């Protein structure tokens, strides 16, 4: 069932576990994540970047596909369609298209402008029962052209944004998008503790979930992280399984070139990643 992400994240915060936000890029991705969530009886958040939304034919196409799958596949667990790193205009378009949750990423604006724009998005989204994620301190790395340097968020700026009525907050604590370099220093848990102190009882979001150790993830959850974003890991698993299929020459056997067969190993690989993450996050049987 399609829902906003507000309740599932409040429940996760209370229960000391996290909900996985898995970015979707096409039909196979969406189906893999939904079927795994249903099998694991876990709430789930389908993340859609503006670039992926455009690739899939627009936000309305994404909403139509997800709604159709939820109905046809008999998905009973809570599912949120969430805009990931949305621009000001992108967030408005996603709200209009029927997303159940949006992220407005104003982290690249001066704090006063971030506050002003976030406030406006909150009012618009909440008038339609849609949950809102905001960001303070840009997340490092690059995702669909959104580049961040991996800043450590200012706890007082986090407090200002958290007081605008948002539902959950992404705060930079040294995490990055994509693969982590060998010299990565790890997450700054002191900064996370100070942020949590200022924002109180509000779910926190950890972007760049690929490559963060299980130990660090569990420590983050203990400090209020209730939503963890995973994208690159699914992409790498999909690519590796597809490469293996083609290099083994299976696309030349019978009708192995049929996209339904060609993309099946990659889809199965995504399911394995999603399952593994749900186990680590502790969201299994929480639906």
């Amino acid at each position: 069932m399609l829902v906003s992400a507000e309740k599932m994240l409040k429940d996760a915060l209370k229960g000391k576990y996290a909900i996985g936000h898995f970015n979707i890029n096409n039909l196979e991705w969406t189906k893999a994540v939904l079927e795994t969530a249903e099998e694991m009886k876990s709430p789930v958040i389908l993340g859609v970047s503006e670039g992926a939304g455009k690739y899939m034919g627009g936000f309305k196409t994404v909403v139509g596909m997800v709604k159709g799958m939820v109905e046809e596949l008999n998905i009973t667990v809570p599912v949120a369609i969430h805009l990931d790193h949305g621009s000001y205009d992108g967030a408005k378009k996603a709200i209009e298209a029927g997303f159940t949750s949006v992220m407005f990423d104003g982290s690249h604006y001066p704090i006063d402008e971030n506050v002003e724009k976030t406030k406006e998005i909150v009012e618009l989204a909440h008038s339609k029962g849609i949950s809102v994620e905001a960001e303070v301190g840009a997340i490092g790395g690059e995702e669909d052209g959104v580049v961040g340097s991996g800043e450590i968020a200012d706890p007082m700026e986090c407090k200002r944004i958290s007081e605008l009525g948002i539902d959950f907050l992404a705060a930079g604590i040294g995490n990055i998008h994509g693969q982590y370099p060998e010299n990565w220093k790890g997450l700054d848990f002191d900064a996370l503790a100070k942020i949590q102190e200022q924002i109180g009882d509000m779910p926190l979001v950890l972007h760049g979930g690929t490559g963060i150790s299980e130990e660090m993830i569990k420590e983050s959850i203990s400090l209020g992280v209730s939503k963890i974003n995973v994208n690159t890991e699914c992409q790498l698993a999909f690519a590796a399984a597809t490469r293996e299929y083609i290099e083994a020459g299976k696309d030349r056997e019978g009708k192995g070139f049929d996209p339904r067969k060609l993309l099946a190993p990659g889809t199965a690989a995504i399911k394995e990643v999603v399952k593994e993450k749900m186990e680590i996050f502790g969201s299994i049987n929480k639906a």
Side-chain angles (χ1 to χ4, degrees):
M1 54 179 175
L2 284 179
V3 296
S4 91
E6 183 207 7
K7 184 180 184 302
M8 64 170 86
L9 291 187
K10 278 186 177 168
D11 289 346
L13 181 66
K14 206 180 295 178
K16 294 285 183 190
Y17 59 91
I19 305 295
H21 154 133
F22 299 96
N23 284 74
I24 57 171
N25 296 284
N26 61 16
L27 180 144
E28 279 75 22
W29 240 268
T30 310
K31 192 177 177 191
V33 176
L34 286 176
E35 287 183 338
T36 308
E38 184 64 27
E39 187 189 333
M40 297 292 103
K41 296 299 170 202
S42 169
V44 74
I45 296 168
L46 303 178
V48 182
S49 67
E50 291 193 29
K54 190 177 177 184
Y55 173 76
M56 288 187 274
F59 289 159
K60 286 182 181 174
T61 306
V62 174
V63 172
M65 176 177 67
V66 174
K67 277 185 173 174
M69 275 197 203
V70 165
E71 186 182 332
E72 295 283 352
L73 299 174
N74 295 316
I75 304 298
T76 61
V77 299
V79 177
I81 313 176
H82 180 75
L83 177 65
D84 192 20
H85 288 285
S87 63
Y88 178 72
D89 290 334
K92 286 185 168 181
K93 282 178 186 168
I95 289 166
E96 193 185 323
F99 275 52
T100 63
S101 186
V102 294
M103 174 188 189
F104 166 60
D105 182 357
S107 62
H108 52 287
Y109 292 114
I111 186 63
D112 288 342
E113 195 173 350
N114 190 358
V115 165
E116 208 50 51
K117 283 182 159 64
T118 300
K119 205 171 171 181
E120 203 177 316
I121 295 297
V122 166
E123 283 172 15
L124 179 62
H126 282 184
S127 71
K128 297 175 183 289
I130 296 165
S131 54
V132 178
E133 173 183 349
E135 183 174 323
V136 178
I139 309 300
E142 179 178 346
E143 185 170 39
D144 270 340
V146 179
V147 181
S149 55
E151 299 166 12
I152 304 296
D154 180 320
M156 297 316 292
E157 289 186 1
C158 290
K159 182 177 167 65
R160 276 188 73 184
I161 295 284
S162 73
E163 288 170 346
L164 300 175
I166 63 168
D167 300 289
F168 34 105
L169 177 72
I173 53 168
N175 43 321
I176 67 170
H177 291 124
Q179 293 173 281
Y180 285 84
E182 283 180 25
N183 63 351
W184 181 55
K185 294 174 183 174
L187 299 176
D188 188 334
F189 290 115
D190 289 339
L192 182 55
K194 284 174 187 164
I195 290 164
Q196 193 204 23
E197 206 176 285
Q198 291 301 325
I199 68 168
D201 199 19
M202 173 172 286
L204 282 160
V205 180
L206 183 64
H207 284 247
T210 295
I212 297 178
S213 71
E214 186 172 339
E215 189 185 3
M216 279 191 193
I217 282 171
K218 289 189 169 166
E219 177 76 11
S220 303
I221 292 170
S222 75
L223 290 167
V225 166
S226 310
K227 173 178 178 277
I228 301 176
N229 292 21
V230 178
N231 185 18
T232 304
E233 204 160 334
C234 288
Q235 292 183 345
L236 290 169
F238 182 87
T242 306
R243 182 185 298 111
E244 192 181 318
Y245 180 87
I246 291 170
E247 286 180 351
K250 291 181 180 175
D251 59 316
R252 293 177 178 174
E253 295 171 8
K255 286 197 171 182
F257 54 81
D258 184 322
R260 288 169 292 183
K261 291 183 178 178
L262 183 67
L263 301 177
T267 305
I270 293 170
K271 285 185 170 184
E272 286 309 308
V273 172
V274 173
K275 198 177 290 186
E276 184 190 322
K277 294 299 178 188
M278 286 175 168
E279 282 169 2
I280 294 170
F281 300 164
S283 66
I284 292 174
N285 292 323
K286 301 292 186 188

